[in-house]
């Protein structure tokens, strides 16, 4: 099996694990060497592993991230990995829990290695991933980190293993990085590591299962807790609703006409209405005077309200203002912080205005229910004859009942004397529950009476009630005021009178709390036992106490009428009250019109004594009543009830319809009776007790239509006209008899009906009484409508003016939002353009902050850094810095303390604040501060949403990474994060704010419940998001022509529908889905200038009425304005798109386009100009072009010429443009530095810019084209042209181009074109593409031995280094090029253990070619650089041939191969590989096998002393090293050996340069200088890390190759001795030749055949040459070289021992 089968496509299919080399024998058993290596690499101390494993024993409360961390630590110890990343599968994605990784999750696909492994369910082992083409195909990569510094490190080997459990289920993936051997060198992963991780996956699966089951139980438990919590909350809400209703009823029953209003009363009214403010006005001297302001800071004496005047004098009806910011009558220059207002007139019993009340809310609006309560309250206040407020807050004695009612709102009391309520059962059930929950001896439940300040309980019917006063010096009184659990005994208690009663007992007193009351304690639970109560016991008791709170509140609401009634009895002994006579007490005014029918009929009752006691002194009904409407005889009870009704109406004629409706079942004996009156629109019927609205239907509708009584004696439900919803009158029983009487006014128009269900009888008398009752509402209705026509007309004018002013305001607001929308469109497009041009962190951070500020409608955004316990602003905007107030600093401090996002309001509560912490590695480093978010309509400040917070927190995370200094790659990745963040937001461009504003405007203008905007898109009307997401289904739409909106769009007409359910086009599906019933609809088209439908607006359910002509007129005007806005926005978006397209075209062109306006200032540029002119476009737009182009006088002059004469079109070529360097501030480039000037060559053209309208001159356009690359191409062309000319000498030249042409001619002459020829064609094409077509090579014909002297002479004559190729027949490798060029075929006999063995013996290897091949392939160099296998084999064979032709003992092919292996080992098994790119590694490996190519067997001093040809050729400088490098490249000039033939010229030049530099540094004359220089360099890495200086790569490469050249001393002694004896043999031969030639002999080479000389020489060589070099290398690669340095010491010791032994022997 092969580690990197790079040709395998990434498809989903079962396959074998990837290995570099075979790890198993043929029978499938593991290779022994592999097993031993793995065993050595997986030794782990058992205690450490158990400690890590203990973290997974109980994972119930452990987060998944901690489980992944614990698992990673354990796997790291078991597999000897320096870094492990554990990814767990969640929601079909791989979740990453390490916050330092660039992403938090990975998709299960081939974008990442973990995703690919999870997809295929097969492990992947990759050595040298930084050079692996397979690994490089993955777009997303997990980073390994250094455990010491937590910085990203280079992976040297990695394994990615899926955690596959039962049924082939993947629960996660584990990626291992950088295996470390026992000797601290870098290892590689094997099958055993896979088995370890896979086995651990099963353990992890069980742990995750337990955790999942536990969390499931927790979730269920939390769900139950949440349900209980919500149940209690809902129960409390229901109690509050019931309590509010009862408060209103009781207020109506206790208030009397002669009462005075107190501040406490108005405060209570404000609490009932749940308002944030209230103002009461009374009508005095024809003006409304402010009497009282609750929670509003106004000058009561001088305060005037236009709203109250409008309601009091003109509107005279309820006015619900949902948005005060757009109310024309509300002073916009005054900000009280209120959102909505409800204004009502207070009408007297004479139906005249006697005052106005205004209710205010800060954050919510008033609903229809709120209106009903307000009407009820103002109706009650209308009974008062005087609305002035008492100066002090006390109430008179006669108003004691009112005072008690007010106190009853805030005090908890139950009627303990109620004989119908079983308190004994209640306390028994509670105490029994306590026994079931918590064992104890005794317990009691006490109920508070907060009116009279005592608590009481009742254990049985016979024992009576036990009560205790709430005195603060008693235990119960202290516990009551403490408002938290009291545990006895308690030494910290104050002195209490009855504390001794509890001595020797363990007692707990738990309060039952309700925050609705002034005193929250509404009861006490007292429980005792001998055993002490634990904290868990106390928690249980407190939980139980909180569960009793809604029960006690319900009891309070149920007892509210009785408790208030008991406390609100008026004392008859009041002296002031006794003075008043009954006549003055009940003095009334006849409010009926003179000569009216009812006035005549009720005159008798007005003359009677209304204070008589009817029970004791019942008189016969007066004769007038008997004769009224031919009523001959009626039961006494009916006459009495009728008498009481007339009495009540005459005496206090306010709310007459309610009083009539309530008396109906009593006067006309029936089960249910109701009074219905038409609303103002004369469409819907309003029931007068509940004010519910109904559409006429059934028998009621029939009575209205025939204007006569409808009577059914029996079985009314089976009548064909019977409509159950309306006609049943909500009767719970079956409807049998039925009576409906129409109410007809003086104009014979039906204004309502009275309906009766299940009457006792339907005799004539009953019909007469019912007819008489129908007269009463008619009289009051006509009285109410008898108003002056001029006043009505004036009211209409004022209301029309108000509506027009609102229309004007909303039109202005829609235009404002539309303008904002257009600005956002432009801004977002510009932002996308900017991030494509700017890569600096400062601008990207500024763009991101500006973008989120715009996207979230936030007025201000800041970045604050936390340094030295202080917050310092990071300036990102122009202008003055923000100086935070003290309250803002406190807000920042709170964010720091909580280390989480917090929200708040400013001190005036006028806008919202948000602080988002910037956290890096759990450290608080700063915060993002946002203030004053606006709603989509830009009217109100609103809280930040959860979506806003998600965006801000995402940005904070990106900023936190950017503020931490990292490598260039990390900075680039962080910049990419900023760009992706900006793109994600800037591409989300929609019209939500605009449509929402139009919708809200329509709702406000027509006072309707809802408006929906449908946008017309391709014959479909689509309701886009507009703030109704909870009220409309997703993708709500209509086809044109269908439904009401579709009909409006097709006919282009308005539809005003009074009853939606009676319209066949209406579809009630949405009503059924949402529970919202549609009644009335106004639907109108919005047409563009060509009368085509842009949109349709649908208004639903006008409040209190139906849509009328005024609404249609208003909406007509509004739709015209909306049409202009929508059409303009559409055109604007189209223009923006065209502009973006043009901008994209300009950016795709290499030229720069600049536009100067008529004033000479920069108005447009298509791309950043800093690289050309060195200036920032945003800064120079403020200046004249002569200010920032002053270094380019020629360009300035040409521009000025065009300004003077726009017809000129100067065009200049190859002109230098001088660039200024600008000093950078924190975020903006502003100040020029004139002492650093750079230049670039440009062609430029200057044109006059003419306007489209009248062709007037508007500025200048400058187009610059970078001509540097064009000039370079032109120069090369000229050089090639001159070189291809034929030479007239015997020496012929041939370029690569000519050679390719010759080859092509030869191929065309050959008729048998086969696969081999196709391969040749590929080689020829690669030469054509190589780019080295202009360099000639010199070819000489004839035998080499005949022309060698001539070549040398020619070189000397021309004084050039001539690349010469001898004319010869091309030789190809013995391996057929047409055979499969499979990489595996050349390494099948070489294992990974073979090449990873430091003690490699080059003399014992059977196939050195395959071995060299395997060294290269382990770094995946063949695929990465497209090296053909047979070409590499040819190259190595040629190298071997050249190395072995001289027969050197040491400097032979085995030495070159051994050095190549040493270089490979240093790159693969130490951290050295992480410092080099794949091209560097290729250069090093090829350079190492060629570093002694064609070695003479002598050293450089010998060659120089001999004045050999090489010494003369290379000027005595690194003679042999230069020759080795040159020979290597001469060898590759043979096409069949050219392993670099597919490299691009630039890449080839780089690799060649590095190869030569590395080989030259193997010169021993540079040995000491290298050690000295590199030692200093390694000690300087703190300030200048490796790789940051210019020559670092070359120096490190040279050190690595030189160390490998001298690596035989670091191997085991047996290998070391072989090489040391061989080098001594070679030295001895040189010594002999030096003597023979008469040269000065090299002393250390003498007598090396003698043992003592040999040992002594080797000891010195190892101590003073090899050891210092490797110690220097260890400064870089520590601790990976520890074993090698030990071998050096061992070898020295062995040589020393042999020397000593030799001395003893001699």
């Amino acid at each position: 099996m092969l580690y990197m089968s790079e040709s395998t496509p990434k498809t989903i299919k079962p396959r074998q694990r990837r290995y570099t080399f075979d790890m198993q024998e043929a029978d499938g058993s593991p290779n022994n060497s592999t097993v031993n290596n793995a065993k050595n690499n997986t030794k782990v101390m058992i205690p450490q592993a158990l400690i890590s494993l203990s973290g997974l024993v109980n994972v119930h409360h452990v987060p998944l991230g901690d489980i992944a961390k614990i698992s990673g630590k354990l796997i790291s110890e078991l597999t000897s990995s320096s870094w492990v990343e554990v990814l767990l599968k969640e929601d079909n994605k791989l979740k990453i829990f390490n916050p330092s990784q660039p992403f938090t999750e990975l998709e299960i696909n081939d974008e990442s290695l973990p995703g690919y492994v999870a997809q295929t369910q097969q492990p992947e082992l990759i050595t040298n991933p930084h050079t692996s083409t397979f690994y490089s195909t993955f777009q997303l990569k997990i980073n390994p980190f250094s455990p010491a510094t937590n910085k990203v490190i280079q992976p040297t080997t990695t394994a990615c293993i899926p955690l596959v459990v039962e049924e082939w289920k993947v629960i996660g993936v584990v990626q291992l990085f950088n295996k470390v051997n026992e000797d601290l060198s870098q290892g590689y992963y094997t099958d055993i590591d896979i088995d370890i991780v896979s086995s651990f996956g099963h353990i992890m699966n069980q742990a995750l299962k337990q955790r999942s089951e536990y969390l499931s139980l927790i979730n269920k438990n939390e769900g139950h807790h949440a349900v209980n919590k919500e149940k209690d909350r809902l129960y409390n809400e229901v109690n509050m609703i019931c309590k509010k209703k009862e408060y209103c009823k009781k207020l109506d029953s206790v208030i009397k006409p002669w009462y005075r209003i107190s501040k406490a009363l108005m405060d209570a009214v404000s609490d009932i209405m749940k308002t944030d403010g209230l103002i009461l006005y009374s009508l005095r001297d024809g003006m409304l005077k402010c009497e009282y302001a609750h929670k509003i800071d106004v000058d009561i004496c001088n305060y005037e309200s236009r709203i109250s005047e409008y309601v009091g004098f003109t509107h005279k009806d309820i006015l619900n203002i949902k948005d005060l910011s757009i109310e024309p009558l509300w002073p916009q220059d005054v900000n009280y912080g209120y959102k909505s207002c409800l204004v009502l007139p207070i009408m007297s019993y004479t139906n005249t205005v006697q005052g106005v009340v205004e209710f205010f809310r800060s954050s919510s609006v008033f609903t229809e229910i709120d209106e009903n309560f307000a009407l009820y309250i103002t109706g009650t206040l209308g009974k008062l004859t005087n609305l002035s407020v008492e100066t002090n807050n006390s109430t008179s004695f006669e108003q004691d009942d009112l005072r008690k009612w007010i106190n009853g709102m805030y005090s908890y009391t139950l009627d303990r004397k109620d004989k119908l309520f079983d308190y004994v059962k209640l306390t028994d059930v509670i105490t029994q529950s306590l026994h079931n929950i918590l064992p104890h001896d005794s317990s009691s439940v006490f109920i508070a009476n907060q009116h009279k300040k005592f608590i009481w309980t009742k254990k049985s019917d016979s024992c009576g009630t036990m009560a205790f006063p709430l005195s603060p010096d008693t235990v119960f009184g202290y516990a009551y005021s403490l408002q938290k659990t009291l545990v006895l005994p308690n030494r910290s208690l104050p002195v209490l009178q009855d504390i001794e009663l509890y001595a020797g007992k363990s007692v707990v007193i738990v309060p039952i709390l309700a925050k609705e009351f002034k005193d929250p304690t509404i009861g006490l639970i007292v429980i005792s036992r001998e055993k002490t109560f634990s904290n868990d016991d106390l928690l249980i008791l407190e939980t139980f106490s909180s569960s009793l709170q809604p029960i006690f509140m319900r009891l309070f609401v149920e007892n509210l009428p009785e408790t208030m009634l008991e406390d609100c009895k008026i004392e008859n002994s009041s002296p002031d009250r006794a003075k008043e006579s009954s006549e003055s007490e009940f003095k009334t005014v006849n409010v009926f019109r003179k000569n009216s029918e009812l006035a005549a009929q009720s005159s008798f009752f007005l003359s009677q004594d209304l204070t008589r006691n009817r029970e004791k002194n019942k008189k016969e009904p007066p004769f007038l009543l008997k004769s009224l409407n031919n009523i001959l005889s009626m039961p006494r009870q009916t006459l009495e009830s009728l008498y009481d009704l007339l009495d009540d109406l005459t005496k206090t004629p306010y709310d007459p319809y309610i009083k009539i409706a309530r008396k109906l079942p009593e006067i006309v004996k029936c089960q249910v009776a109701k009074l219905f009156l038409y609303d103002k629109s004369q469409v819907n019927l309003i029931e007068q007790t509940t004010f519910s609205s109904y559409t006429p239907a059934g028998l009621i509708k029939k009575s209205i239509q025939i204007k006569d009584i409808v009577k059914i004696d029996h079985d009314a439900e089976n009548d064909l006209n019977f409509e159950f919803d309306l006609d049943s009158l909500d009767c719970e029983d079956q409807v049998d008899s039925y009576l409906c009487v129409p109410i007809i006014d003086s104009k014979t128009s039906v204004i309502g009906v009275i309906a009766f269900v299940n009457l006792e009888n339907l005799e004539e008398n009953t019909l007469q009484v019912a007819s008489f009752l129908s007269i009463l509402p008619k009289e009051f209705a006509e009285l109410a409508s008898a108003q002056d026509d001029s006043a009505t007309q004036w009211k209409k004018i004022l209301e029309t003016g108000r509506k027009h002013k609102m229309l004007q305001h909303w039109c202005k607001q829609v235009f404002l939002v539309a303008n904002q929308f257009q600005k956002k469109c432009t801004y977002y497009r510009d932002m996308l353009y900017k991030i494509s041009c700017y890569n600096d962190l400062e601008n990207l951070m500024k763009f991101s902050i500006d973008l989120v500020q715009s996207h979230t409608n936030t007025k201000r955004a800041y970045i604050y850094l936390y340094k030295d316990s202080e917050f310092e602003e990071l300036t990102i905007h122009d202008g003055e810095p923000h100086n935070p107030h003290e309250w803002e600093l406190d807000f920042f401090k709170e964010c720091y303390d909580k280390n989480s996002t917090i929200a708040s309001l400013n001190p005036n509560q006028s806008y919202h604040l948000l602080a988002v912490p910037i956290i890096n590695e759990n450290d608080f480093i700063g915060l993002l501060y946002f203030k004053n978010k606006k709603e989509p309509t830009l009217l109100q400040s609103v809280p930040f949403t959860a979506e806003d917070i998600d965006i801000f927190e995402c940005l904070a995370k990106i900023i936190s990474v950017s503020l931490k200094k990292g490598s260039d790659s990390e900075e680039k990745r962080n910049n990419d994060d900023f760009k992706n963040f900006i793109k994600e937001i800037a591409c989300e461009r929609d019209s939500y704010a605009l449509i929402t504003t139009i919708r809200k405007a329509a709702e406000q203008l027509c006072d309707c419940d809802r408006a929906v905007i449908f946008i017309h898109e391709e014959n479909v009307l689509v309701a886009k998001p507009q703030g109704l997401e909870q009220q409309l289904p997703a993708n709500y739409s209509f086809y044109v022509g269908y439904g009401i909106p579709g009909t409006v769009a097709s006919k282009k007409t308005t539809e005003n529908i009074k009853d939606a359910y009676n319209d066949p086009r209406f579809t009630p599906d949405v009503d059924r889905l949402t529970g919202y019933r549609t009644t009335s609809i106004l639907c109108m088209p919005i047409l563009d200038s060509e009368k085509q439908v842009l949109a349709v607006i649908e208004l639903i359910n006008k409040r209190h009425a139906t849509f009328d002509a005024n609404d249609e007129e208003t909406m007509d005007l509004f739709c015209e304005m909306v049409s202009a806005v929508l059409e303009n926005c559409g055109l604007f978006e189209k223009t923006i798109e065209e502009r973006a397209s043009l901008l994209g075209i300009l950016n795709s062109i290499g030229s720069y386009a600049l536009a100067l306006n008529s004033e000479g200032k920069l108005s447009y540029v298509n791309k950043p100009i800093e690289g050309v002119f060195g200036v920032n476009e945003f800064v120079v737009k403020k200046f004249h072009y002569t200010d920032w182009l002053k270094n380019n006088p020629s360009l300035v002059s040409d521009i000025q010429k065009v300004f003077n004469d726009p017809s000129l079109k100067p065009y200049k070529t190859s002109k230098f443009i001088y660039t200024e360097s600008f000093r950078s501030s924190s975020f903006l480039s502003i100040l020029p530095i004139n002492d650093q000037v750079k230049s670039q060559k440009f062609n430029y053209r200057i044109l006059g810019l003419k306007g489209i309208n009248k062709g007037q001159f508007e500025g200048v356009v400058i187009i610059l084209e970078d001509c540097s690359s064009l000039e370079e191409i032109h120069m090369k062309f000229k050089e090639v042209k001159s070189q291809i000319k034929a030479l007239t000498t015997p020496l012929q030249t041939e370029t690569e181009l000519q050679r390719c042409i010759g080859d092509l001619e030869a191929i065309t002459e050959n008729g048998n074109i086969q696969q081999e020829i196709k391969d040749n064609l590929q080689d020829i094409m690669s030469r054509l593409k190589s780019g080295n077509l202009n360099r000639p090579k010199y070819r000489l014909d004839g035998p080499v031995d005949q022309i060698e002297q001539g070549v040398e002479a020619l070189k000397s004559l021309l004084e050039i280094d001539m690349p010469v190729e001898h004319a010869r027949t091309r030789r190809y490798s013995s391996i057929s090029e047409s055979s499969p060029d499979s990489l595996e075929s050349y390494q099948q006999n070489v294992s990974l253990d073979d090449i990873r063995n430091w003690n490699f013996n080059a003399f014992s290897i059977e196939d050195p070619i395959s071995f060299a091949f395997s060294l290269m392939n382990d770094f995946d160099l063949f695929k990465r650089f497209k090296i053909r296998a047979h070409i590499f084999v040819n190259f190595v064979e040629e190298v071997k041939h050249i190395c072995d032709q001289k027969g050197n003992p040491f400097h032979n092919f085995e030495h070159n191969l051994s050095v190549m292996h040493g270089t490979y080992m240093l790159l693969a098994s130490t951290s050295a590989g992480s410092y080099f790119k794949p091209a560097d590694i290729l250069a090093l490996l090829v350079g190492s096998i060629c570093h002694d190519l064609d070695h003479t067997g002598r050293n450089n001093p010998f060659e120089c002393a001999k004045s050999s040809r090489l010494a003369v050729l290379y000027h005595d400088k690194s003679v042999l090293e230069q020759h080795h490098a040159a020979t290597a490249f001469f060898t590759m000039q043979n096409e069949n050996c050219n392993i670099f033939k597919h490299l691009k010229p630039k890449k080839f030049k780089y690799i060649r340069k590095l190869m030569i530099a590395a080989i030259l540094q193997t010169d021993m004359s540079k040995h000491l200088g290298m050690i000295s220089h590199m030692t200093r360099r390694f000690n300087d890495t703190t300030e200048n890390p490796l790789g940051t200086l210019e020559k670092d790569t070359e120096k490190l490469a040279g050190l690595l190759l030189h160390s490998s050249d001298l690596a035989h001393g670091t191997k085991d002694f047996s290998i070391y001795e072989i090489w040391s004896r061989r080098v001594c043999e070679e030295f001895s031969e040189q010594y002999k030749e030096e003597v023979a030639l008469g040269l000065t002999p090299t002393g250390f080479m003498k007598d090396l055949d003698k043992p003592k000389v040999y040992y002594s020489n080797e000891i010195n060589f190892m101590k003073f040459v090899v050891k210092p070099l490797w110690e220097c290398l260890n400064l870089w690669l520590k601790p990976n070289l520890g074993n090698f340095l030990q071998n050096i010491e061992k070898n020295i010791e062995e040589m020393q021992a042999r020397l000593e032994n030799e001395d003893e022997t001699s």
Side-chain angles (χ1 to χ4, degrees), residues 413-419 421 423 449 452 454 456 458 465 467 559 563 566:
T413 301
L414 296 182
D415 185 10
R416 55 194 174 91
K417 299 178 182 179
D418 188 354
K419 296 181 179 180
F421 192 84
Y423 286 107
N449 186 326
K452 299 182 179 178
F454 67 87
W456 61 274
K458 192 172 184 179
T465 300
N559 282 267
T563 54
E566 178 185 3

Side-chain angles (χ1 to χ4, degrees), residues 89 94 117-119 121 162-165 168-173:
K89 186 177 179 182
L94 294 177
V117 165
Q119 191 177 33
Q121 299 188 8
L163 301 178
V164 182
V165 293
W168 298 101
K169 175 185 175 183
V170 176
I171 64 170
V173 173

Side-chain angles (χ1 to χ4, degrees), residues 922-983:
N922 297 324
D923 293 332
F924 182 95
I925 61 175
L927 58 84
L928 299 180
Y929 176 42
F930 303 93
K931 56 195 294 187
N932 200 4
K933 173 184 171 63
K934 293 288 187 179
E935 63 176 353
T937 62
L938 304 179
L939 290 170
Q940 295 286 335
S941 177
V942 294
F944 292 93
T945 65
E947 180 184 357
D948 297 336
I949 294 174
D950 289 341
I951 293 174
F952 297 153
E953 289 180 346
C954 179
L955 177 58
K957 184 178 179 181
I958 298 174
I959 292 177
S960 71
V961 177
S962 68
L963 294 176
K964 177 184 176 182
K965 291 185 178 179
S967 63
D968 293 341
S969 60
E970 289 175 339
E971 183 176 346
K972 181 180 181 303
R973 184 169 62 250
N974 186 238
N975 289 352
D976 291 340
D977 291 340
F978 272 115
K979 290 185 177 182
N980 292 333
F981 175 80
I982 292 172
K983 287 179 182 177

